[in-house]
Structures are given as C-alpha cells and as structure tokens.
Amino acid sequence: MEAVTWFLARWSCTYLMPLEDNRDNNGSSDNIHDYQPQSQNSKTAFLCFFGEHNMGKLVLDVIVRISTMTLVSYQGEKDLQALTCYQLLHGLVRRRNVCVHLVLLDSWRDLANAFVNERTLFSLNAAHQRSLAQTLVLSVSGMRNSEESDQYVRDLMSHMTAYLVAMSGKNDLKNVAQQPDVILLVSCLLERLRGAASASEPRTQKAIYEMGFSVMNPVLVFLDVYKHESAVVCLLLKFVVDWVDGQISYLEAQETAVVVNFCMCLLQLYSSHNIGKISLSLSSSLLSEANTEKYRDLRALLQLLASLCSKDLIDFSSDSIEAQGTNISEVVYLGLHIVTPLITLDLLKYPKLCHDYFSLLSHMLEVYPEMVTQLNSEAFAHILGTLDFGVHHQDIEVVDMCLRALKALASYHYKETGAGKVGLGSHATGYQDPDGKLQEGILSRFLRSLMQFVLFEDYSIDIISAAADALLPLILCEQSLYQKLGKELIERQANPTFSSRLANAFQSLTSSNNLSSTLDRSNYQKFRKNLHNFLIEVRGFLRTM
C-alpha cells in the first residue's frame, strides 16, 4: 500500500486533471502542432481521458477512497498514513481545478464525516490529524462562495469546539483532565484546531475566527489545569499562534481588541505559572529537559507577539484599531515585559528562539522606540543584557538585528533631545546601584562596548555597515565619552608613529567626507566609509600590540 500511495501522490500532482492551456505568448503550441503531430495527438487524448470533464473525476474519486481506506483500515501504519496525509491528500488540494470536483464527491464528504465522527481517526498520529484538518479546510477553495465555505468549516469543526467548551465547564475538571485518555483526546482536538487555523484564508476567515473565539475561555482554563503537562501547554500555545497569525490582518477593531485582550490574559497566566520554575539546584539532565520545554513555549509566545505586530504593517480591516482604544505597540511591549524575565541567556543559545527574540526586539525598538521608556528598570536592564549578548553572538544575522536595535535607541534619543525632549530619560543617564557604585547610562555603556568590539574583537566584515549605523548616533549622543575613549587609546601607544596615526584616524572618523551632525541617509553613508577607512588604518596595529 505504501508503494501504491506513493505512486498516486506523485502521479496525481502531474497527470490528474492537468490544465490544458499551457501556451506561451509567442504561440509555441502552434509550432508543436506543426512539427510534432503525434505528440500533440497524444496530449489531446490524454487530456480527454484525465481532463476536468471526463474520467479524471472517477480517478479522483478512487484516490479519495483509497486514502480513506489507508487512514481507517491500516491503523498503526504511520509511514503509510504520513504518505497519505502529507503527500497524497495535501497534493490534491493544492490545485483549485481539482478542488472544484473534489468537494462535490461523496467520497470526500465521507472522509470529512469520518474525520468528525469516527473515533478510529483519533488513533492517528497527532501531527497527521493536524495535517488532515488542514487539508480538509484547504479544499474549500473549490467551493462556489464564502457562505458555503464558512458553513463547511463550521460543520467540520463545531463538534470539536463544543466538546472543549463543555469539558472546560465541568466541576470536576481538575480530576478528569489528568486521566491519560482525556489528555490524549484534548491533545488531538488541539492539533485538529491548529491544522484548521493554519489553513485560514479570506474565504474561510470568518468561520475560523468563530472557531477560535469559541474556545478562548477553554484555552485559558486548560492552560491553568495542564500547567504541569508541558506537551499540552505547548499545543495550546501553538494553536493560539497559528490562529492569531492567520486572523489578525483581517480583524475589525472590535474583534482585534477581543483577540489582544485574550493574548494578554494568556501571557499573564503563562508567566504566573513559569517565573522561577527552573531552579539551578536541579540536576544537569533535568535542567536541560526543563530548558527544552521552556524553549518551545517561549518561542511560541514570541511568535504570538510578532503576529500581533504584523497588524500595524498589514491591515485589511475597514476601521482603525485605535477606535477601540487598542494600541498594538503598548500591547507588545507589555508582552515583552511579561516574557523577557523568562528568557535567560542559556535559552538564547537555542538558535531559533534566539532569532525570534531578537527579530521581535529589533522590530519593536526600530518602529516604537518611544515605548521603551515605559518599561520598568528591571525589564529594561534585562533587555539591555540580552542586546549585549546578541552583539557578540556568532550568528551574523543576530548581530545585525542587535546593532539595528542599538541604532534605533541612540538615534531616537539624539533626535528627541535635539528637539528639547527627554528622549530615553533616566535610562540614558548614569545612576548609582544599591551598592553605591556609579553605573553608566545605556548609551555610554554601548558606545564603550561597540568601540571595543569593532577595534579588538573578531567579526565578519559584513556587519561593519550595521556597526557604523549604530556607532554614529552613539557618538553624537556621547561626544565627550567618545573623545575620552580616543584619548585613552592614543595615550596607551608607546610608539610615537602609531600614536600619531591613531590620533589622525580618530579625527578623520568624525570629520572627513564632510560628515555633519545629522542623522539622514547621506550622513550614514559617509560615516560607513569613514569607519571602513578607520579600521583599515588602525585595527591591524592595535590588535598586535
């Protein structure tokens, strides 16, 4: 059966109901007809047999029946079921000309009914169930209108959402929920909802929004009940991420406000369960396992915040979200305030989590730098610590994102103070810590760190431009510190020739190419050239001394 399924998956993608119109604009099909009549006749016969209006529909029906049989009658054959879900069925719904006939077949309706009602299909691997749900929802591209598509999705998913709603309202939920068969059933239903959510498109948006809206409260209830079941928590978060990502751009202001409030409740609830959960007193093996679980959860939360951010970039709604008093930037910064205490430097060693975190952070600091002043000192210090970690990361893309974030902070402060405003305020000035020691402001700290980085540390030449863009506003904000750092380096040179070269290089860095004190595109380009020449001149002898 595996061989048959593999063959049908490969064959149907090319030969089942192919589009007849493959002509190009130069009329090449006429040339084929003139010089290769036998080939053209074969093509015509092929299209007549397997084309849209003839035997192709019968073959499609056979394929669907075989697919249903492999899922229902071959329980435990995971490889066979994977071929059916990921290749055969998913390949059928990729083309609208196939879906038009697919949704009219009794065999397809039987498969959808089995998916809803047959407990046999709950024995499928959870990921296969997610794929099957996605495939069934994607097939609506062949339906005539959005009303019919919405009703199809409601019929497909309403039984599952109703079960979750009913279960979340049980008085003895905490006892019942811990039973292994209940955990398995909840997990399967969440995977199915996630599959449907990931198939969201404009014609099914309304029905899938209703699906997610109906389980908002159950999701929060289950997040609390299953707080010690990491696998279920991860599924809950991933479902919310996929649902919000597919919906947020289409939601009207009132719906957006509902989704945003739900996401904030989710973040707060997760945070309350997980702050301080990982203890350094745990054994190394348990600590590693706990970190892995936490990594999956936090990555999902970061993706959720990134999806909310996308509302400011892509919005198909007819009214403004501000009409409901919803400010996405405030919401995401509050989300960062909740999530960042959970992100340790050890967790940032996971590449995907690290990339998602710094991608979100750089976006927020570039687009909404003014919101950073609303963070408390603890959250702000944590973000700065992660930025310092990211600047010295081995991944060039992570370093580039951190440098863009530093550029955004420094340029915001420079422009604001130039206009007589406070800019970053107390975050940019020095302060005394609880031990009475004077601590530098963030701009001084990063100017010192970045100068050390570009002069003495190993890095790729590809990040010099990004480093220059971050250095320029830092130097303009902290000119006295820049001059002090240059003077200290010059005085440390015992060789008069090197000392003179270094002094001239520092002078040229901020004056050559008619560099000014503005932060426009032209000035950034000039400073990039200046920094490049500066490093060529001094980096070699500075690193060898």
Side-chain angles (χ1 to χ4, degrees):
M1 281 303 296
E2 283 187 38
V4 170
T5 304
W6 177 87
F7 164 75
L8 289 175
R10 295 292 298 270
W11 179 87
S12 61
C13 286
T14 303
Y15 298 109
L16 181 64
M17 296 183 180
L19 292 173
E20 185 174 357
D21 187 9
N22 290 321
R23 299 179 181 90
D24 58 33
N25 295 330
N26 297 323
S28 60
S29 60
D30 293 335
N31 294 331
I32 293 175
H33 179 76
D34 292 339
Y35 296 104
Q36 296 179 350
Q38 185 175 358
S39 176
Q40 187 65 30
N41 290 336
S42 299
K43 178 182 176 183
T44 302
F46 168 77
L47 290 170
C48 288
F49 192 78
F50 291 113
E52 293 186 36
H53 306 294
N54 293 285
M55 298 301 294
K57 288 187 288 185
L58 295 177
V59 176
L60 179 61
D61 183 64
V62 171
I63 290 175
V64 174
R65 293 183 186 280
I66 290 175
S67 300
T68 304
M69 183 177 64
T70 62
L71 298 177
V72 174
S73 302
Y74 288 81
Q75 298 180 38
E77 295 290 340
K78 293 184 179 180
D79 292 339
L80 173 60
Q81 292 166 348
L83 280 171
T84 303
C85 292
Y86 296 123
Q87 295 188 36
L88 180 53
L89 289 176
H90 198 65
L92 294 179
V93 298
R94 281 204 299 255
R95 289 180 290 151
R96 187 177 183 278
N97 65 304
V98 175
C99 289
V100 167
H101 302 286
L102 188 65
V103 294
L104 298 176
L105 294 176
D106 289 339
S107 56
W108 188 255
R109 286 192 288 270
D110 291 342
L111 176 60
N113 289 332
F115 177 76
V116 174
N117 300 310
E118 291 290 337
R119 296 192 65 86
T120 306
L121 291 183
F122 279 96
S123 65
L124 289 176
N125 179 287
H128 298 350
Q129 295 192 48
R130 180 173 74 244
S131 175
L132 184 56
Q134 182 187 43
T135 296
L136 288 168
V137 174
L138 285 174
S139 69
V140 302
S141 64
M143 292 185 173
R144 290 171 293 183
N145 52 60
S146 58
E147 290 77 15
E148 188 178 354
S149 301
D150 282 338
Q151 189 58 49
Y152 171 84
V153 174
R154 292 188 188 103
D155 293 341
L156 192 67
M157 307 307 298
S158 59
H159 290 72
M160 300 166 205
T161 56
Y163 177 86
L164 291 174
V165 171
M167 184 178 173
S168 66
K170 288 187 175 181
N171 295 328
D172 59 344
L173 176 62
K174 289 191 176 181
N175 295 326
V176 173
Q178 304 306 320
Q179 298 173 6
D181 59 331
V182 175
I183 293 176
L184 177 62
L185 182 58
V186 169
S187 299
C188 289
L189 292 177
L190 288 172
E191 287 282 19
R192 291 180 170 203
L193 294 183
R194 184 183 168 202
S198 65
S200 182
E201 58 181 36
R203 66 163 52 215
T204 57
Q205 182 270 321
K206 183 179 179 181
I208 292 180
Y209 171 76
E210 292 172 355
M211 178 194 79
F213 178 82
S214 66
V215 295
M216 278 184 178
N217 187 64
V219 165
L220 297 177
V221 171
F222 290 135
L223 188 62
D224 184 53
V225 170
Y226 288 113
K227 59 187 175 184
H228 300 304
E229 293 287 342
S230 59
V232 181
V233 170
C234 188
L235 282 178
L236 285 164
L237 296 178
K238 287 183 175 181
F239 159 64
V240 174
V241 169
D242 287 341
W243 180 66
V244 171
D245 185 57
Q247 295 291 307
I248 193 68
S249 298
Y250 301 97
L251 300 182
E252 300 295 341
Q254 186 174 0
E255 296 169 334
T256 302
V258 171
V259 171
V260 164
N261 289 334
F262 164 69
C263 290
M264 291 315 303
C265 291
L266 182 81
L267 289 165
Q268 290 166 344
L269 186 58
Y270 180 87
S271 176
S272 68
H273 291 159
N274 289 275
I275 285 183
K277 185 175 180 180
I278 296 181
S279 170
L280 294 177
S281 62
L282 293 172
S283 68
S284 58
S285 60
L286 291 176
L287 186 61
S288 176
E289 182 180 350
N291 266 338
T292 301
E293 293 172 357
K294 197 174 175 187
Y295 148 75
R296 296 192 188 99
D297 295 352
L298 288 177
R299 187 171 179 230
L301 294 178
L302 290 172
Q303 290 171 340
L304 177 60
L305 293 175
S307 295
L308 292 175
C309 276
S310 68
K311 181 70 171 178
D312 278 341
L313 303 175
I314 305 173
D315 187 4
F316 299 117
S317 63
S318 59
D319 54 357
S320 171
I321 58 174
E322 282 74 16
Q324 292 289 324
T326 304
N327 188 317
I328 292 293
S329 62
E330 291 182 0
V331 170
V332 177
Y333 261 103
L334 181 57
L336 277 176
H337 195 281
I338 293 171
V339 172
T340 48
L342 303 173
I343 297 178
T344 64
L345 296 184
D346 283 338
L347 284 172
L348 288 178
K349 293 175 183 176
Y350 290 88
K352 291 181 179 178
L353 175 67
C354 182
H355 184 275
D356 287 344
Y357 172 74
F358 285 114
S359 177
L360 177 64
L361 194 61
S362 65
H363 170 81
M364 292 303 298
L365 295 180
E366 284 181 285
V367 181
Y368 311 108
E370 69 280 359
M371 299 301 299
V372 77
T373 59
Q374 299 183 18
L375 295 173
N376 63 31
S377 56
E378 183 180 355
F380 188 76
H382 188 86
I383 286 176
L384 293 184
T386 58
L387 279 176
D388 191 49
F389 169 85
V391 167
H392 299 88
H393 202 275
Q394 293 180 341
D395 188 328
I396 295 176
E397 191 172 359
V398 169
V399 177
D400 182 74
M401 288 187 288
C402 292
L403 291 173
R404 293 206 314 264
L406 291 177
K407 171 192 173 182
L409 284 175
S411 59
Y412 167 75
H413 181 74
Y414 181 70
K415 291 176 181 177
E416 290 290 294
T417 53
K421 300 178 183 179
V422 296
L424 296 177
S426 59
H427 294 309
T429 60
Y431 64 96
Q432 282 189 339
D433 63 17
D435 298 328
K437 295 181 180 178
L438 183 64
Q439 299 292 334
E440 285 185 311
I442 62 164
L443 301 178
S444 299
R445 169 182 166 184
F446 278 107
L447 174 59
R448 189 185 297 275
S449 174
L450 205 49
M451 288 294 294
Q452 173 73 18
F453 176 71
V454 298
L455 287 173
F456 298 104
E457 297 183 23
D458 295 324
Y459 53 81
S460 169
I461 194 173
D462 295 332
I463 67 166
I464 292 179
S465 293
D469 289 349
L471 265 178
L472 178 58
L474 286 171
I475 290 173
L476 291 176
C477 289
E478 300 290 340
Q479 295 188 40
S480 59
L481 176 60
Y482 168 72
Q483 293 171 358
K484 178 183 175 182
L485 293 174
K487 184 178 179 181
E488 288 175 354
L489 281 174
I490 293 169
E491 290 176 349
R492 279 162 43 187
Q493 304 305 313
N495 187 316
T497 302
F498 289 163
S499 177
S500 176
R501 284 176 60 184
L502 190 56
N504 292 334
F506 269 107
Q507 177 66 25
S508 298
L509 179 60
T510 54
S511 61
S512 61
N513 286 324
N514 296 317
L515 191 72
S516 66
S517 58
T518 60
L519 291 177
D520 54 26
R521 182 178 179 182
S522 174
N523 223 40
Y524 276 118
Q525 290 175 336
K526 292 175 183 178
F527 189 74
R528 289 179 182 181
K529 295 177 182 178
N530 289 357
L531 181 63
H532 183 74
N533 294 332
F534 173 78
L535 294 176
I536 291 175
E537 179 66 17
V538 305
R539 182 171 156 85
F541 70 78
L542 283 178
R543 296 195 71 195
T544 56
M545 294 191 62

